[in-house]
Amino acid sequence: MKKSRVIQLLGLIVIVGLVSFGYTHRDQTSASESITAVGSTALQPLVEAAGEQYSNNHTGTFINVQGGGSGTGLSQIQSGAVAIGNSDIFAEEQSGIDASKLIDHRVAVVGIAPIVNKQVGVTNLSQQQLIKIFTGKVTNWREVGGKNLPITLINRAQGSGTRKTFESYALKGQKSADSQEQDSSGLARSIVASTPGAISYVAFSYLDKSVQTVSVDGVKPTEMNVRKNQWYIWSYEHLYTGKHPSVLTQQFIDYILSTAVQQKLIKQLGYISVHDMQVQRNATGKISIVK
Amino acid sequence: MNAKRIDKIATGVLYAVAAFVVIILIALLGYILIQGVPHISWHFLTSPALAFEAGGGIGIQLFNSFYLLFLALLISLPISLGAGIYLNEYAPQNTLTGLIRTTIEILSSLPSVVVGLFGYLFFVVQFKLGFSILSGAFALTVFNLPILTRSIEDALANISDNQREAGYALGLSRWETVTKIVVPAALPSIITGVVLSAGRIFGEAAALIYTAGQSAPALDFGNWNPFDISSPLSPLRPAETLAVHIWKINSEGIMPDAKAVSAGASAVLIIAVLLFNFLARWLGKRLYKHLTAE
Amino acid sequence: MDKIRESLLKKSVASKIERRGKAISLLCLALIVGIVFLIFYFVASRGLATFFQNHINVWQFFSGTQWNPGTTGTNGQPAVGALPMIVGSFLITILSALIATPFAIGTAVFMTEISPRRGARILRPVTELLVGIPSVVYGFIGLQVVVPFVRNTFGGSGYGILSGTFVLFVMILPTVTSMTADALNAVPRYYREASLALGATRWQTIYKVVLRAAVPGMLTAVVFGMARAFGEALAVQMVIGNATLLPHNLVSPAATLTSILTMGIGNTVMGSLQNNALWSLAMILLLMSLFFNLVIRYIGRKGKLSHER
């Protein structure tokens, strides 16, 4: 009985000792210099990859990236819980967010293209046709020059950035009809690839051979066309910070905006560099030429 | 004659139903394993995941899954052991106890999404733990407590009262009887219960997406100090588990081999759950033999 | 003299340990109960905000068929009609339970009455294993196998109530089967022996004696399976199509409470109407699991009484 008491006590002392040793010898540089970025799942791979490179170049810093969705990102940055909020949309467009308290850093441009199942037999649509399809006025591919197949709309989840962009620019602000919804690009793509007559839309980085992309009014969804706004279905990827970002936060954002990241990483991931854009767009959708 | 024929027909139908169910279940397992096993290799099991290139592994996710499981069990086992002991040994049979049992059952049938969202609001936002292993472990604890309490209570209830009376006859207090006699005797079935619940925790995704997070930052496996954020043991780092990883690459993955990775990861998950099951059986049997031989 | 007196009046070490032990175990139990109430409080405080803060009419919430919080519906109020999701959730839950029950009972009877050896050696382990398969994997297989199957056999796009039902059927089958088997095992042996001694065949014994005696236990198993089906999120979300429309047939895309909840929660900002409306859906889920539990308890109590009689 007594012996076991002694052993218990010894064990306790060893554990407490180890923990306090660990605590006092912790790597204080990295513990004090870490920032958290939360938000858009579409932006997550980019920030993650950039964060990894940044940590490799600056030992002792740590960039912690989380998904959770644009809404989560914006509400977390607004409440000050994180250093960076990742978003697919302008803070002005998100209800419940006071955009004037945040600073917007546009780090990349993402083009969005309509995709259809390969059996549809359509490679080009006019914008009017696209609107009619998504508002449910056209329900068979025959009516727009394709095969005799019923149209299956695959929308993105309500409130998703991709859907907001698509509705504002491809559908000229019209709301699409109630239809199937998926909350992720990967699922939307694989559903379009496997469902006859399906149409959806994904960011350029998700385009692959399993689906057919559609030109709008004869303009192909390519990076070159986005740069000049000839392909007008695109949006910015935003990193939002509070009014007074920490030094590390600012340095990290500068790093993402540097040529090293913009010309290499951004392209590898299928985004379009903000440096290459010949036009810019503000929160209300107004286009102006970049000098 | 007629009754006999009906008996034969019914037996045949039952055989068919059982065979049908077995075929569905085996087909399901076979489908996952056949699709996934070819992708499993040592490299796949140990290397970190890659975001946009082919050839990524699941090493960190696998480690996270086990670590999270360990932490969740570390927190939930003592609590449910205590609760199970109280319910079975002390609680009077009255309405209040019945009410408490109901609340525990409600907790067990709570949709895991709701548990996850609660964890997000409470641990991540309110307690400012952020997306971290700790938040995830707490959420899993909430998820696990009712099941574990239930199985521990059952295990204790199956111990015959002779054992308890023997304890009292020796002059032991109730608590001593419980901890020194009843719990050791129930240990085999308690362990089986724990390992089986571990299987469920291991495959849980919905409760973790908004608590433990969806990213698995690179870990420094040379650094085992739990207070460093890049240490594998750090409880405050975000940790994507295997099940969450499968969910993520199916929904947002842009690596070219996303399908292969997801199939391989699913197979690894199934194999892990399978191992847990065997482990539970084996441990239970061994402990039983060991304890009854004494 | 005083010393003896003192030691007699003082509490013994054992009784101190006893008290401490009892207190600790009670504390554990209180913690669990506390967590349940905390969850209810958190979800209700967010979920009720839709009605009290955003002044959405409760009746409109439950009967409206338009779900697009953030925009206004035809009547000038925000479009938060949860009826399509409620209907979708109930439909797939009830349908999958309807399909799963006969299979589960058949398998459980086989496991316990016809071939207990094979049951214990093959069926039990396999069913237990299936409980541990993550729902993501079920959804994944549903997407690759069930949806094309439904599309080719029943028409439509393949996404809808029917696909969700099939996926949930497989998901709840192991749970219902093993719980039903437990219920059958709990039927005392002498019931069977008495029946066989009366000259009944095995099937007559099963059908007229064992199954009837196990009815409460089997009902509990089914209700438990339904509760799991009702709360399932990720797997259903992949195959049901997630269209917030009232389903007009079994192959048209529909939505469930959980699928809309998981899809939307990341895209909304905390405190906004969109977010609160989603929490209201979570609250419905919570109330439903409460309801299922009450049903289970009611059945359990009835079963006990009929046994005692």
Side-chain angles (χ1 to χ4, degrees), chain B residues 15 48 65-66 69 122 134 182 214 235 254:
Chain B
Y15 261 93
S65 288
F66 280 111
L69 174 66
F122 194 63
L134 216 54
V182 180
Q214 309 163 32
I254 50 171

Side-chain angles (χ1 to χ4, degrees), chain A residues 19 22-23 25-27 38 41 44 48-49 62 64-68 72 76 183-187 205-206 265 268-269, chain B residues 51-52 120 124-125 131 210 212-218 225 227-230 238-239 247-248 250-254 259:
Chain A
V19 167
Y23 186 72
H25 286 74
R26 70 188 190 277
D27 202 345
V38 172
T41 40
Q44 196 184 342
E48 232 168 37
F62 195 78
N64 173 5
V65 188
Q66 279 306 313
T72 310
Q76 293 269 45
D183 67 336
S184 66
S185 316
L187 272 179
S205 46
Y206 289 93
L265 198 58
Q268 277 176 342
L269 283 160
Chain B
F52 52 95
Y120 171 68
V124 176
V125 177
F131 292 104
Y210 288 107
Q214 309 163 32
S215 74
N225 187 339
F227 292 98
D228 286 348
I229 199 151
S230 60
W247 174 79
K248 196 177 91 177
N250 270 307
S251 46
E252 297 284 348
I254 50 171
K259 274 205 170 132

